[in-house]
């Protein structure tokens, strides 16, 4: 999968998809599989926005049962099963424990009903049977709860994923099906004819230059940037997105045996403590956000809330801000619903068409991306009756690391044994892995590589020991100057520092 911006100007596409998060990638994948010519463009890196800043769960959303969103939860649970079968190397079942601690905001009868209903909605897609545990059983199940006021609990099952990697594999699957995918390429102007969107002017953010692209239909899947793109075509477009910021803390390993779902005594909000890559993930928050989504960052209030509520419920952990390894913040593109608190806004999606023909996709859950994309292409197919689109096949299509990846890397190492050298003592990534990320996975910047292809930015060492050797190899492959290489290293260090700026 190579980056070729000029290919975007070579023909008129049936579909131009703007936004390389999970929703846009899913739409491009389904479209290409079903015979539509498709271009996918992303202003930054694939999964560079909200899609790499999630709670890392493929889940039905047990908390949405409180909002009576039974249809959404059932759909998400069914999609959880589909994705587990499609991407077993990227998604794994995970056990969750809901402890009832003191005067919990969610009483025991409600919790019992919730987990039972969750399994009922799952049907044959259930991952494991829910069960209830008394105080002794619960403390045996999770020793971390032995010094708390937890007096009973409920166990249920969901799944954990590698979010950025899953996005890349969907993009790769789209490209293999014929889509043209390009990252670091921004829409700066929509082209209109007769008042209808027929294409866009694109800016190459890496090498400069502008490229026109023509399309029969444009799908705006830019997540929290959806309204910004709509206003490029119509400055009077009314907002359809309600941005909500969610942050997570990456904390040293607390020794969790399973994930914990906790309810804040302060405001009743739900958050998680999750074992993740030998660390602990704590989150998320859900607060209204204004401004450019690219500027979203963790602030002191966010950190104090998660640290404070965790210590209130599990005081024996003695969490300290100084021990936080990293943080990340993402902006959810919720469907605008003004009268509800952000955490109460539905995670259902909306397909909206402006009078100029620009189609925008808002909302939805990461877990439901495949079925949402199927719905979008079913709808779009009616615009192309002559195409006679085939039935959707993404539910049966495998996703995972490219089958020839290991063999390609072995071949490179055989030809040059130095490529087997690890980049640093903390991680297994080698020089050959860098080459593969650049040549086959479109890693174009050091941040693309370390945050999203390797995921080491969130680790205890934060990838700082490998950034210079990695930049050297990338520079040779991408013809960077010494100044370019220094700028890439400086930018990565700045991003790591910003993850602690709260």
């Amino acid at each position: 999968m190579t980056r070729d911006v000029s290919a975007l100007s070579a023909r008129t596409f049936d579909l131009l998809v703007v936004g390389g998060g999970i929703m846009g990638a899913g739409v491009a994948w389904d479209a290409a599989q079903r015979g539509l010519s498709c271009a996918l463009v992303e202003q930054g890196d694939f999964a560079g926005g909200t899609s790499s800043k999630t709670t890392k769960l493929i889940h039905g959303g047990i908390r949405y049962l409180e909002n009576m969103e039974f249809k959404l939860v059932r759909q998400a649970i069914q999609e959880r099963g589909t994705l587990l079968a499609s991407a077993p190397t990227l998604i794994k079942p995970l056990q969750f424990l809901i402890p009832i601690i003191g005067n919990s905001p969610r009483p025991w009868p409600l919790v019992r009903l919730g987990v039972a209903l969750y399994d009922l909605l799952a049907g044959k897609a259930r991952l494991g049977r829910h069960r209830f545990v008394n105080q002794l059983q619960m403390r045996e199940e999770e020793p971390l709860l032995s010094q708390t006021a937890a007096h009973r609990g409920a166990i249920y099952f969901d799944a954990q994923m590698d979010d950025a990697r899953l996005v890349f594999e969907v993009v790769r699957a789209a490209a293999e099906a014929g889509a043209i995918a390009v990252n670091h390429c921004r829409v700066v102007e929509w082209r209109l004819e007769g008042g209808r969107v027929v294409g866009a002017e694109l800016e190459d953010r890496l090498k400069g230059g502008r490229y026109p692209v023509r399309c029969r239909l444009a799908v705006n899947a830019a997540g929290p940037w959806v309204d910004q793109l709509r206003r490029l075509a119509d400055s009077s477009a009314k907002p359809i997105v309600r941005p909500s910021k969610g942050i997570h803390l990456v904390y040293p390993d607390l020794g969790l045996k399973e994930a914990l779902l906790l309810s804040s005594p302060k405001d009743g909000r739900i958050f998680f403590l999750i074992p993740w890559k030998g660390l602990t993930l704590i989150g998320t928050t859900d607060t209204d956000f204004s401004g450019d989504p690219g500027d979203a960052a963790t602030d002191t209030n966010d950190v104090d809330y998660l640290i404070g509520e965790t210590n209130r419920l599990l005081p024996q952990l003695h969490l300290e801000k100084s021990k936080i390894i990293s943080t990340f913040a993402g902006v959810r593109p919720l469907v605008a619903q003004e009268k509800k608190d952000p955490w109460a806004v539905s995670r259902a999606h909306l397909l909206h068409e402006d009078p100029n023909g620009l189609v925008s996709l808002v909302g939805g859950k990461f877990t439901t991306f495949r079925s949402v994309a199927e719905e979008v292409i079913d709808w779009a197919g009616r615009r192309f009756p002559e195409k006679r689109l085939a039935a959707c096949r993404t539910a049966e299509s495998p996703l995972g690391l490219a089958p020839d990846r290991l063999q390609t890397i072995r071949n490179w190492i055989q030809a040059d044994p130095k490529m087997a050298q690890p980049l640093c003592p903390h991680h297994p990534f080698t020089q050959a892995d860098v080459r593969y990320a650049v040549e086959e996975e479109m890693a174009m910047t050091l941040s693309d590589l370390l945050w999203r292809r390797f995921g080491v930015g969130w680790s205890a060492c934060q990838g700082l020991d490998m950034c210079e050797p990695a930049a050297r190899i990338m520079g040779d492959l991408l013809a960077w100057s010494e100044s370019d290489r220094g700028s890439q290293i400086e930018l990565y260090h700045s991003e790591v520092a910003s993850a602690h700026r709260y």
Side-chain angles (χ1 to χ4, degrees), residues 232-272:
L232 272 181
D234 178 3
S235 59
S236 65
K238 294 182 179 179
I240 58 174
V241 177
R242 181 174 178 179
S244 170
K245 187 180 76 169
I247 76 111
H248 293 80
L249 312 179
V250 181
Y251 204 82
D253 183 16
L254 294 174
L256 286 168
K257 295 175 65 177
E258 65 238 300
L260 299 181
L261 185 157
L262 302 174
S263 294
S264 164
K266 181 179 180 180
D267 55 20
R269 278 190 278 175
I270 283 173
F271 65 100
F272 297 95

Side-chain angles (χ1 to χ4, degrees), residues 202-224:
L202 305 173
E203 177 188 48
D204 185 343
R205 302 183 71 189
L206 294 179
K207 299 181 180 180
R210 293 195 172 189
Y211 297 82
V213 57
R214 291 189 62 86
C215 65
R216 297 174 65 188
L217 182 67
V219 176
N220 174 11

Side-chain angles (χ1 to χ4, degrees), residues 289-436:
F289 178 81
S290 60
D292 189 328
D295 296 332
T298 304
D299 60 35
T300 299
N301 290 336
D302 298 325
V303 175
D304 288 346
Y305 176 85
L306 289 174
I307 291 287
E309 294 309 289
T310 302
N311 281 336
R312 189 196 305 259
L313 292 166
L314 305 173
Q316 81 282 9
L317 295 181
H318 303 294
L319 298 191
E320 299 175 23
K321 290 172 66 172
S322 61
K323 293 183 179 179
I324 295 172
I325 293 171
S326 189
T327 71
F328 55 89
V331 179
R332 307 174 188 87
L334 304 181
V335 178
Q337 290 176 282
E338 296 295 339
K339 295 182 179 180
K340 292 186 176 182
D341 290 325
W343 57 89
V345 173
S346 173
R347 268 49 177 177
H349 66 279
L350 168 70
L351 193 59
H352 173 89
E353 183 174 6
D354 284 318
N356 55 35
L358 178 62
V359 176
S360 296
L361 176 59
V362 182
K365 287 165 49 58
F366 195 117
T367 303
T368 60
F369 83 89
R370 193 211 61 81
S371 60
V372 170
E374 180 179 357
E375 178 185 326
V376 172
I377 299 306
D378 283 346
W379 177 88
R382 294 194 285 273
R383 300 293 184 89
F384 310 110
E386 78 284 1
K387 292 285 185 176
R388 296 183 181 179
L389 296 189
C392 177
R393 296 184 288 112
T394 54
E396 295 80 39
S397 301
L399 291 169
L401 297 178
D404 60 348
R405 181 180 187 278
L406 289 178
Q407 188 56 53
T408 299
I409 288 176
R410 287 193 193 103
N411 291 343
W412 288 342
I413 290 173
Q414 272 190 332
D416 182 1
K418 288 187 298 184
M419 295 189 74
Q421 294 177 0
L423 300 172
C424 77
H426 312 113
H427 299 283
F429 299 108
T430 66
Q431 295 184 22
D433 290 308
V434 177
R435 179 179 172 184
Y436 192 90

